[in-house]
Amino acid sequence: AAAQGGAYPKTLEPLGTLVRQSAQMAQAQGYEMQYTPGPPDANAVIRSFTLEARPGNYGYRSFYTDVSGLVRTTTENRAATSSDPPIQ
């Protein structure tokens, strides 16, 4: 976002190989990744996002982050949310 004047991409593809490899590694460990861009503003610029990592198996942690930069987690059998505690 800093390189784009505060704008986030519609997908993670423009972020390149490192992001693609990181997502593949997470999937290989049993996590499903979901990037959701926020709504575009009046100038069609995306200013927010969420990124969720959901475990495929119970017992793993679910992760959630957004534009705040805090990574939140839960070990409950559900997706993590903005209400969960941040990783210490």
Side-chain angles (χ1 to χ4, degrees):
Q4 300 285 329
Y8 293 97
K10 292 180 182 179
T11 69
L12 293 179
E13 282 301 311
L15 301 181
T17 304
L18 184 58
V19 170
R20 193 171 20 262
Q21 289 172 341
S22 295
Q24 288 171 345
M25 184 184 315
Q27 289 171 342
Q29 296 298 314
Y31 285 90
E32 176 187 325
M33 304 295 291
Q34 182 177 358
Y35 171 77
T36 306
D41 65 14
N43 297 318
V45 176
I46 298 169
R47 302 276 183 199
S48 64
F49 72 92
T50 61
L51 180 62
E52 296 178 57
R54 295 183 186 143
N57 300 314
Y58 183 71
Y60 285 73
R61 293 193 296 176
S62 291
F63 298 92
Y64 172 95
T65 191
D66 58 20
V67 70
S68 71
L70 285 176
V71 176
R72 299 176 180 277
T73 186
T74 183
T75 56
E76 295 179 20
N77 189 14
R78 62 173 176 78
T81 69
S82 60
S83 300
D84 287 309
I87 291 177
Q88 298 298 322

